[in-house]
Amino acid sequence: MRRLYVLAVKEVKELIRDRYVLFSVILAPLLVLPLLSGVSYLAVREAGGALEKAIRELPGNVAVVLEDPGDEMAVEVARRLGARVEGSVEEAVARYPTVVVLHSNFTKNILEGKPAVVTITSRVERPYSLVEVAIVTSLAQGLRDVVSIVLIERFNIDPRLIRTPVIVESKVLYKGELLGGARLTQLYVLNLALAFIIFILGVIALQVGTLSVGTERESRTLELLLMLPISRVELIAGKVLGVSTISLMGFASFLVGLSITILLAPVLFAEGFKGVQQPQTTMHLSPIELIEALRTTSVTSMVVVVALVAIAIAMVSTTIVGILVGVLLAGDIRGALVSGSYIAIILAIPLLVEMMGLSLPTPLQIAFITSPMYPPFKTAQMIVFGETGLATAYAIATLINVTMLLGITVLMVKSERLIYGIRLRKPRVEA
Amino acid sequence: MEIVSPGRFIRIEEAILDPGEVFKLLNSSEPLLSVVDIVKRFDGVTAVNRVSFDVGAGEVFCLVGPNGAGKTTTLRIIAGLIEPDEGYVVFEGRRQPWGPGVRRLIAYIPEDAGVYRNLTGFEYLETMARLYLGEMWGDAVRRAAEISGLGVRLRDRIGGYSKGMKRRLLLAGALMINPRLLILDEPTAGLDVTHATAMRRMILDYVRGSVATAVVSSHNMLEVSYMCDRVSLINRGVIVESGPPKELLKRYRVENLEEVFVRVTGGGL
């Protein structure tokens, strides 16, 4: 027993006094979950609030246009929606954020078992926002519910007897342009894809960055590197270039994996979807439709260039952060991997939020700017979605971020610090 | 082509200097490297305390002392990797900190210098030659391959080399850039007789042939008597005795430097 105790004490002392273990086992787990859940909570609260507000204000914001003002069921649906009835679509669209058009032969079609057609036109501010897309989707669902209620109460018909009572065509008015559901999805996916790419590439780049310093330290090659007849900036630039190449290779292999998954998805999940009633909205996309939507997305070359520049800047600045984390926290390869992973998760949180297009309270957005991946992404997002003012602001933030990072790194990559590492106390005896 | 000068043979094709420069160096009394009163403290402990010495061209200077005496710290300061708290270092008339131009003339091999395990010997030499010499890297790699004596093993990854082979590769890589100042921390520590002898030969040939300067640390007194022109004994960060090995032996009337060291320090650390 005694020996066991001595052995255990040695183990605890040896491990807990290692500053890399201290960070990866004690500090990082303490931070990561509260940070993740804290940000998720704020994002969800903000999103919930926006959704609630939109639904509360909906009756006042919805106008109904009846193609056939005499249609009994259409009139009843309009009444129950609590919306104003407008004469012409053009006028209604100009004045109301949401316009529901009940097409002619509404009653006749339903009673004959054919679907009645409804067009919902909603104005959106941010087509990449999950909340706004959710509002558009929930409108369609709400409308279907109203039709069901009218069928039961006024016509005594069980709506379940009718396979598809209504087809809802959702249209979105964005900056004066009328988008179909598919186009809206494309814009949403465009934002999602950009955030996703920067997220994955950033996580890879940060880890490779810490690893490159950890490896040098473990194999004791740092001094050779520091003696090279090159400037410190060149040294860092060379590292960044090498690390970026590896990161891109890692990302390419990730893309191959993703493509295989997407291509296999219809086959793999088709079985599971059998028998599931698909909601009849154009908003819904099956994997095959998603691929089709992506294929037909008219991404302009401007968007591609902006996205590539943002991705490159995000990758380079994240790599620099990785190198910095390596200098501060990676005593060896193991330390580099663990600290790299945790810091990568923490710095990638903003991108997780952006993938869903959730809006956040301003203080949190400002905090996010410190993540090397966030300002480049936001700049690209704002350019793509035409918010010039915000795009400029985020571009400036990106510039400040990169400059500060470079400055800190050049200061931190001092040979003394690299050789001895960052210590709470300097070594007592060094020969 | 060989130029004969008092006691020294210089192979001009290996030297980066022109003959006129070589003569000037040999005849000058100015030291190539001056270490002046350097002090380095770590958390209250003085690792290096007022260490000073000069080293001339074509000279091998040795810093000898037990583990923890301050040898590595002194060499790191000379290499410019760490800054001294007091004092300064001058090389070819230029004080630290040095830019890339001066660093190009300096080769430093730390005691526990590592290697890039996944590069082959040739890849390592090529990388270093290109970084130091630019366009002229091809000849340097050929020369280094020859000096290292590693032959076809240079095509293998360095991770598979023995300790002796790694050291020889590092030394060959350091010599091929034609350094004017060679800083070697325990160059033969842990090597067997064959590798250690080969390493010493490589160092001496180079320093004599190129009229370069070498600062070598060692705790191996025997090795020091073989290759050093001048020795400084260092203990607890202080230089306790200096001079050519033979002179020291004579002065203390002993058989070897180990006894000199024991006499000077009183035997204890």
Side-chain angles (χ1 to χ4, degrees), chain B:
Chain B
M1 175 192 178
E2 288 191 341
I3 296 172
V4 184
S5 129
R8 287 193 179 113
F9 294 90
I10 301 151
R11 284 191 292 274
I12 287 304
E13 62 271 22
E14 280 187 12
I16 52 163
L17 305 165
D18 63 70
E21 187 87 356
V22 170
F23 280 120
K24 211 173 84 195
L25 273 169
L26 287 173
N27 296 325
S28 94
S29 55
E30 284 288 297
L32 208 67
L33 174 77
S34 293
V35 176
V36 183
D37 271 341
I38 53 168
V39 176
K40 183 73 184 174
R41 295 185 198 92
F42 291 107
D43 194 36
V45 174
T46 310
V48 176
N49 196 357
R50 304 229 159 273
V51 165
S52 299
F53 54 83
D54 291 333
V55 192
E59 193 179 18
V60 178
F61 177 85
C62 285
L63 209 52
V64 185
N67 299 327
K71 303 188 297 281
T72 298
T73 306
T74 306
L75 295 193
R76 278 179 177 163
I77 290 173
I78 298 173
L81 285 173
I82 56 178
E83 285 171 31
D85 294 328
E86 288 171 37
Y88 57 94
V89 178
V90 182
F91 171 64
E92 289 199 328
R94 271 170 284 196
R95 256 173 96 146
Q96 281 172 339
W98 299 317
V102 177
R103 281 217 299 280
R104 214 207 75 29
L105 306 173
I106 301 173
Y108 167 57
I109 304 182
E111 178 187 0
D112 43 11
V115 286
Y116 292 102
R117 288 170 296 138
N118 297 319
L119 295 186
T120 69
F122 268 127
E123 282 167 346
Y124 170 75
L125 291 175
E126 185 187 325
T127 308
M128 286 299 154
R130 293 188 127 171
L131 285 169
Y132 277 90
L133 306 170
E135 292 302 305
M136 298 143 62
W137 64 274
D139 281 343
V141 170
R142 267 190 289 282
R143 199 164 59 238
E146 199 186 315
I147 308 173
S148 74
L150 292 175
V152 288
R153 288 302 304 277
L154 284 172
R155 291 181 207 286
D156 298 340
R157 289 194 188 185
I158 306 171
Y161 287 12
S162 72
K163 186 168 181 182
M165 290 165 71
K166 284 178 192 163
R167 302 290 299 185
R168 279 165 79 154
L169 178 72
L170 285 172
L171 185 60
L175 297 182
M176 79 180 168
I177 60 159
N178 276 322
R180 304 293 333 280
L181 175 60
L182 201 53
I183 305 166
L184 306 167
D185 197 356
E186 303 273 4
T188 61
L191 300 190
D192 62 40
V193 178
T194 326
H195 280 300
T197 315
M199 291 276 290
R200 277 181 216 128
R201 195 72 262 151
M202 284 160 76
I203 298 164
L204 278 177
D205 281 351
Y206 178 78
V207 173
R208 304 285 187 248
S210 305
V211 208
T213 297
V215 179
V216 182
S217 85
S218 179
H219 61 261
N220 180 345
M221 312 276 176
L222 193 67
E223 163 174 295
V224 172
S225 343
Y226 284 150
M227 61 186 277
C228 302
D229 298 314
R230 264 185 324 120
V231 174
S232 273
L233 302 181
I234 184 170
N235 192 37
R236 297 193 200 173
V238 182
I239 289 185
V240 288
E241 186 57 277
S242 296
K246 279 195 183 117
E247 229 172 75
L248 287 179
L249 296 182
K250 219 185 271 173
R251 203 185 303 165
Y252 287 87
R253 298 188 186 160
V254 288
E255 293 283 306
N256 58 52
L257 280 173
E258 250 167 67
E259 288 176 61
V260 175
F261 191 82
V262 171
R263 284 276 195 88
V264 171
T265 61
L269 284 180

Side-chain angles (χ1 to χ4, degrees), chain A residues 216 219-221 223-231 333 414-416 419-420 425-431, chain B residues 40 42-43 45 47 68 72-73 76 79 81-83 100 103-104 108 110 112-116 124 131-132 170:
Chain A
E216 297 263 9
S219 50
R220 303 191 155 277
T221 44
E223 283 159 304
L224 285 177
L225 205 65
L226 291 166
M227 285 306 291
L228 291 174
I230 53 175
S231 71
I333 294 171
K414 278 191 110 173
S415 28
E416 196 151 341
I419 293 167
Y420 297 120
R425 285 187 323 185
K426 280 184 175 175
R428 279 213 157 269
V429 181
E430 179 60 39
Chain B
K40 183 73 184 174
F42 291 107
D43 194 36
V45 174
T72 298
T73 306
R76 278 179 177 163
L81 285 173
I82 56 178
E83 285 171 31
R103 281 217 299 280
R104 214 207 75 29
Y108 167 57
D112 43 11
V115 286
Y116 292 102
Y124 170 75
L131 285 169
Y132 277 90
L170 285 172

